[in-house]
Amino acid sequence: MSEVPSVSSKAPRAPKSANKTATKAASKRAGAVASGPEASAASAPAAAPAKSAPQKAMERMGLTRDIDLALHLPLRYEDETQITPLAAAHDGDTVQCEGEVIESRIEIRGRRQLLVKLRDDQGGQVQLRFLHFYPAHQKTLAVGARIRARGEIRVGFFGREMVHPSFRKVDEQTPLATSLTPVYPTSAQLPQAYLRKAVASALKRAPLDEVLPPSMIPAGLPSLRETLQFLHHPPPSAGLSTLEDHTHPAWQRLKFEELLAQQLSQQQAQRERAHLRAPVLRGSKGGLHERLLGALPFALTGAQQRVTEEIAADLALPQPMHRLLQGDVGSGKTVVAAIAAAVAMDAGWQCALMAPTEILAEQHFRKLIGWLEPLDVEVAWITGSVKGKARQKMLDAAASGEAKLVVGTHAVIEDKVSFARLGLAIIDEQHRFGVAQRLALRKKLADSLNDDTPGAVPMEPHLLMMSATPIPRTLAMTYFADLAVSTIDELPPGRSPIVTRVFADGRRDEVIEKIAAAVQDGRQVYWVCPLIEESEALDLKNATETHEELSAALHGKSVGLLHGRMPPAEKAAVMALFSSGEMSVLVATTVIEVGVDVPNASLMVIEHAERFGLSQLHQLRGRVGRGSVASVCVLLYTGPLSDTGKSRLRAMAETTDGFEIARRDLDIRGPGEFMGARQSGAQLLRFADLQEDAPLLSAARALAPRLLDDYPQAALRQVERWLGHKTEYLKA
Ligand code: ADP
Ligand code: MG
C-alpha cells in the first residue's frame, strides 16, 4: 500500500560526533581549509590576553579543558605518510603527490580559475585547478615552487587533474607525516589546522592516568593514554576500516570509559535521590480517587490499572518518585494523571499539572474539571492568557492551598505560581522540554517545600512525567538507570486501526476530492502544514494558502486555520469550533502535534511529510483513530526523497505501534540523536552505541555500583573527566 519506492538497506550511520553541523562543516573544511595560505600560518593557541575567534569557537564546542580536547576524536583520517608517483595514480584515487610547478596561469573557462601544472620527480604530471583562490594562492603556487598536494585524481580528456587539492610549499627535506592525519569535527570559525595543534598539545598535557583499578578494566583493552594516542595519531599500518567502524580495541576502550561514566552518574543520582524526602501520599478508603474511578464514563484498561498501581505505590513512599509514564498516543495517560492527582489531593496535598502548550493545558483543564468538579474539587487554570483579576484569583488560590489542583503551561507554573503544599508535579509531554528547563523546574518545586531549617533533610515533591515518545525498553532499563518507567501498552477498547497511505504531492487534487467526499459524509479532517509563511528556501506550501484552497474546494463547509502565531484566544476559539463538530476541516501547523483530543476527527492529511521526524509524524497521526470510526492518515510528500526520508515514510505506512516506531527511529537515526535534544537535552553518548555495544554497556552497568561503593574517588574522577559540566544534566 505504500507508494514509497523501496530502498535496499538502511542508510549507513554517519560517524558520531559531538555535533552534526560540526561534522558537516568538518568534512567541508577538510577539503578546503588546508588549501589556503592561512592554513600553514595557523598557529597553536597562544597565551594571548584576548580570546581569538578560534578559541571562542572551541569554547562554544565545549572544548575548554585539556581533557575535552583529548576526548575530541577524529571523524576520519587522511594518509599523508607517503608520496604517490603521479604515473601510478588512477582515476578516483585520493593521493598525496609532490612536484615542481612548471606552469601557473589564470584562465577564464566559463569562470575565472587558477590552473597550476605540477611535475613530480618521476616526470608524471597533474593539473591543479582552483575555482576560488586569492592572490596569496598564486604567489605560493608560482613556477619553480616545490608543492605537496593531496586530493582526488580525476583523469579526463586533458590528463590528470585535482580540483581544489590541499597543498603546501615544501622542500626536498620536508619530512612526511609519520602517522595518519586526523580530521576533527569543527566549526566555521575553527580551522582544522588550528584544532589539530590544539588537540595535539592538549593530549600531551591532559591527565590521562588510569582512574580505574586495573582489575576492573575489561581484559585485552589498551590503557587510556595508549588509546587516545592511537586514535588521534594512528600509525599508517592501522587499518582505516577498523578505525572508522569503531571496532578497534582502542575504540572499545573508549566506549567502555564513556558508558561507565554515564552509568556512574546515573546510579549516583539514583543514590542521592534515595536520601531525599517526599510527602507520603496515600489515598484513603472511599476517598477522592475511588470516587473519581466510580464517576468515569469508562473502565480503566488493564494497562491503565497496572500503571496506576505502580504510581500509587511510589507516592506512598517517603522518597520522591521520579517516574516516566509512557504510552502511545491515545493510550489514555490523562486519566492516569488525574487518578494520581486525586491520590495526592486525598492525602491533603496540592498537585500541579503542566503542559507544553496553551491548547493542551486548556484541554486538560476542561477534561479535569469535567471529572473533578462534580466531586467538589477546585481546579485552578493558569496560563499566559489568563490575565488580570482572574489570574490573581488563581495565583492566590494556589498560594493559599485552596486550589488543590493547578493546571497550566509550564512557563507560567515555573515562574509565577507558588504553592502552599505541593506534593505532586505532573509534566505532560515531558520530551518537549529541555533538560535545563526540567532542572530549573525541579529546583523551583523543591523550593516550595523547603525552608531554611538547618540540618533539615531536603524535601522534593513527587514527579510524574508523561510521554508518548517511548524510550525503547533496552534504553529505559540501562541508560536511564535513574528513572522508573511505567508503560501503557494497550489502547482503550473500540478503537479501529488507522490506515496510512503515502502519496506523492502530484496526487494532491485526488486527495482533496476524497476529503471533500468524506466531509460530505460528516467526517472531520485535520490538514497539517509544516510552516505558516512562505519560505522560499524550503519551498513549503503555506498554511494560509492551503486554507484558501480547501475553503474553495469545500464550499459550504467550515474550514478553519490554526497556527502558532495566532493569539491564544483565537486559537482557543478555533479549537472549540472543531471540537464541537461545527468545523469540518482544520488546517493547522504542528501546533496540534501534542495531545489534542477530538475523537470525531478521523482523517488526517500531512503535507510535506518528508520534512517531519518520525516521532513527530507518529504524534500527529495520533490525533486521529481516537473514536470508533476507521481512520485514515494520508502522507503527502514532495520528492526526491532521501534514504532516511523513505525509511521514515515506510515505517509510518507499515506500523501504528509507537514502540515499533521508536525502535525504527532509533535504527534510522542512531541513539545519539534519538537521545539527543529531545530526550535528554544534550547528546550524552558521543561514541558508544547502546545497541551495538550492549556487552560493554552491561559490563559498565555491573561495574558502576562496585566503584561507587569501594572507590568513590575514582568514580567521581571518571564522571568529571567525561561529563564535566554536563553532570548536572544527567539528573534531570
Ligand atoms: P494520551 O495518552 O495520548 O494523552 P488521552 O489521555 O488524551 O491519551 O486519551 C485519549 C482518549 O481516550 C480520551 O478521549 C480519553 O478520555 C479516552 N480514554 C482514556 N482511557 C480510556 C478507557 N479506559 N476507555 C475508553 N476511553 C478511554
Ligand atoms: Mg496526552
Side-chain angles (χ1 to χ4, degrees):
M1 99 185 142
S2 156
E3 321 230 330
V4 184
S6 73
V7 272
S8 53
S9 68
K10 93 177 189 195
R13 190 169 289 152
K16 293 183 153 219
S17 74
N19 163 331
K20 226 4 241 239
T21 38
T23 310
K24 266 193 222 136
S27 28
K28 259 200 238 140
R29 295 194 69 82
V33 76
S35 59
E38 79 279 5
S40 44
S43 57
K51 278 183 192 138
S52 66
Q55 275 171 328
K56 285 187 201 150
M58 287 207 303
E59 265 175 33
R60 278 195 301 273
M61 290 171 69
L63 303 175
T64 47
R65 307 171 302 168
D66 285 338
I67 187 72
D68 298 328
L69 282 157
L71 293 176
H72 189 65
L73 291 188
L75 279 176
R76 56 188 179 83
Y77 305 89
E78 285 172 356
D79 188 350
E80 296 176 342
T81 63
Q82 45 190 326
I83 301 289
T84 306
L86 282 165
H90 301 289
D91 196 10
D93 289 355
T94 296
V95 298
Q96 177 167 252
C97 61
E98 187 174 310
E100 193 186 315
V101 176
I102 53 170
E103 217 180 285
S104 177
R105 64 199 151 89
I106 290 175
E107 224 177 67
I108 317 272
R109 285 194 203 162
R111 59 195 281 194
R112 203 167 158 268
Q113 43 194 279
L114 173 63
L115 300 173
V116 174
K117 195 163 278 177
L118 209 66
R119 184 174 58 210
D120 72 8
D121 297 345
Q122 291 77 25
Q125 294 196 5
V126 65
Q127 172 162 279
L128 314 182
R129 182 145 59 130
F130 300 88
L131 298 164
H132 310 279
F133 57 95
Y134 295 99
H137 281 79
Q138 267 176 283
K139 228 166 130 189
T140 311
L141 294 165
V143 171
R146 191 170 180 86
I147 296 295
R148 199 173 280 171
R150 189 178 179 284
E152 188 185 325
I153 294 281
R154 290 190 203 156
V155 182
F157 191 65
F158 297 104
R160 284 188 204 87
E161 186 178 66
M162 277 185 190
V163 179
H164 278 260
S166 58
F167 67 89
R168 64 187 176 127
K169 202 169 163 178
V170 292
D171 56 42
E172 264 97 9
Q173 277 75 49
T174 311
L176 280 167
T178 52
S179 56
L180 299 178
T181 307
V183 179
Y184 294 106
T186 185
S187 67
Q189 295 76 30
L190 182 55
Q192 188 65 233
Y194 183 99
L195 182 55
R196 259 179 212 150
K197 286 187 185 163
V199 170
S201 64
L203 194 56
K204 290 198 191 100
R205 286 189 306 264
L208 293 178
D209 53 309
E210 292 292 335
V211 165
L212 306 179
S215 64
M216 291 191 174
I217 299 165
L221 300 185
S223 75
L224 186 61
R225 185 174 294 283
E226 286 162 350
T227 294
L228 290 174
Q229 182 59 38
F230 179 87
L231 291 176
H232 284 289
H233 305 292
S237 61
L240 275 180
S241 62
T242 52
L243 278 175
E244 280 170 10
D245 77 6
H246 297 190
T247 56
H248 193 279
W251 271 115
Q252 296 287 308
R253 173 67 208 257
L254 203 67
K255 293 177 183 190
F256 172 73
E257 292 278 315
E258 177 177 47
L259 288 166
L260 183 60
Q262 182 273 331
Q263 286 294 307
L264 285 169
S265 68
Q266 284 276 316
Q267 295 187 20
Q268 179 60 28
Q270 194 177 22
R271 289 178 179 205
E272 281 169 20
R273 188 182 311 278
H275 292 297
L276 292 172
R277 312 288 297 169
V280 171
L281 307 177
R282 209 179 266 134
S284 56
K285 195 96 201 103
L288 186 59
H289 74 288
E290 289 188 3
R291 286 188 284 139
L292 171 60
L293 278 174
L296 286 175
F298 48 74
L300 295 186
T301 62
Q304 283 171 322
Q305 234 153 21
R306 176 173 42 75
V307 301
T308 304
E309 280 159 24
E310 287 166 4
I311 293 165
D314 276 4
L315 294 178
L317 296 176
Q319 282 87 39
M321 170 170 77
H322 193 228
R323 188 171 279 276
L324 175 69
L325 171 60
Q326 56 176 15
D328 212 343
V329 283
S331 61
K333 294 183 289 294
T334 317
V335 68
V336 174
I339 295 166
V343 170
M345 293 186 279
D346 213 22
W349 291 77
Q350 288 172 290
C351 176
L353 174 59
M354 284 157 278
T357 64
E358 295 230 347
I359 290 187
L360 198 53
E362 172 166 2
Q363 183 182 292
H364 281 324
F365 174 67
R366 300 215 172 286
K367 195 153 253 178
L368 290 169
I369 49 174
W371 287 334
L372 292 170
E373 271 192 351
L375 306 174
D376 289 331
V377 177
E378 190 181 328
V379 184
W381 179 38
I382 308 185
T383 67
S385 59
V386 180
K387 299 229 156 66
K389 268 202 184 132
R391 182 188 187 89
Q392 198 51 51
K393 196 169 152 244
M394 302 274 188
L395 291 175
D396 292 346
S400 70
E402 201 185 320
K404 290 280 183 263
L405 177 58
V406 178
V407 181
T409 46
H410 227 263
V412 173
I413 291 187
E414 201 175 303
D415 300 343
K416 309 283 171 359
V417 188
S418 60
F419 295 91
R421 266 164 79 78
L422 183 66
L424 170 65
I426 304 175
I427 308 183
D428 195 15
E429 308 291 347
Q430 63 92 26
H431 61 284
R432 303 263 306 191
F433 301 103
V435 168
Q437 238 179 326
R438 260 144 59 196
L439 275 175
L441 177 70
R442 263 186 58 196
K443 188 173 173 319
K444 149 99 194 199
L445 297 180
D447 286 351
S448 73
L449 286 183
N450 296 311
D451 48 30
D452 299 328
T453 320
V457 182
M459 288 268 271
E460 219 176 83
H462 296 279
L463 187 60
L464 177 64
M465 296 164 275
M466 305 200 285
S467 173
T469 304
I471 302 173
R473 202 177 145 69
T474 45
L475 295 195
M477 290 184 53
T478 51
Y479 193 87
F480 293 106
D482 184 32
L483 186 68
V485 179
S486 289
T487 304
I488 306 185
D489 52 6
E490 177 186 1
L491 292 179
R495 303 268 169 89
S496 47
I498 307 169
V499 173
T500 302
R501 311 287 310 258
V502 182
F503 290 113
D505 193 51
R507 297 174 67 182
R508 186 186 168 87
D509 290 345
E510 207 180 305
V511 170
I512 293 181
E513 270 170 40
K514 294 220 170 90
I515 296 290
V519 165
Q520 286 306 328
D521 289 347
R523 299 176 73 174
Q524 282 182 283
V525 184
Y526 292 105
W527 186 295
V528 184
C529 310
L531 270 190
I532 76 142
E533 267 158 27
E534 197 80 57
S535 151
E536 280 165 14
L538 290 174
D539 187 32
L540 295 177
K541 288 246 159 42
N542 108 22
T544 326
E545 238 179 63
T546 305
H547 176 239
E548 281 165 17
E549 182 186 6
L550 291 177
S551 304
L554 301 172
H555 42 87
K557 292 288 174 184
S558 155
V559 179
L561 177 62
L562 187 69
H563 61 72
R565 297 193 198 167
M566 282 161 57
E570 221 174 288
K571 274 192 222 169
V574 172
M575 262 333 280
L577 283 173
F578 192 64
S579 297
S580 70
E582 277 167 72
M583 183 180 282
S584 301
V585 179
L586 182 62
V587 177
T589 57
T590 51
V591 289
I592 66 155
E593 179 191 347
V594 284
V596 171
D597 185 35
V598 181
N600 190 49
S602 60
L603 267 169
M604 170 169 287
V605 179
I606 304 179
E607 263 191 83
H608 279 289
E610 78 282 358
R611 304 244 183 239
F612 294 93
L614 194 46
S615 76
Q616 211 183 1
L617 286 173
H618 179 65
Q619 287 269 333
L620 284 166
R621 180 172 60 182
R623 300 310 114 215
V624 294
R626 297 186 157 235
S628 49
V629 209
S631 292
V632 176
C633 175
V634 174
L635 303 177
L636 278 178
Y637 72 90
T638 306
L641 288 175
S642 65
D643 281 354
T644 51
K646 281 178 206 162
S647 314
R648 283 202 296 260
L649 298 188
R650 167 119 30 74
M652 286 296 291
E654 286 175 0
T655 181
T656 51
D657 174 351
F659 286 86
E660 177 61 15
I661 296 265
R663 203 190 55 69
R664 297 220 196 170
D665 202 19
L666 191 64
D667 264 3
I668 296 171
R669 292 196 285 167
E673 283 176 71
F674 180 85
M675 311 288 303
R678 288 252 156 147
Q679 290 285 356
S680 45
Q683 189 179 342
L684 298 173
L685 284 182
R686 286 190 280 164
F687 307 122
D689 178 313
L690 293 172
Q691 281 177 337
E692 271 162 32
D693 302 317
L696 289 175
L697 175 59
S698 26
R701 191 176 167 211
L703 188 56
R706 285 169 52 206
L707 267 176
L708 287 172
D709 288 338
D710 301 339
Y711 302 90
Q713 286 307 315
L716 191 68
R717 279 202 60 203
Q718 180 72 8
V719 173
E720 261 296 308
R721 174 178 275 179
W722 273 90
L723 302 162
H725 57 279
K726 282 195 205 154
T727 337
E728 269 298 299
Y729 276 17
L730 289 161
K731 296 182 190 159

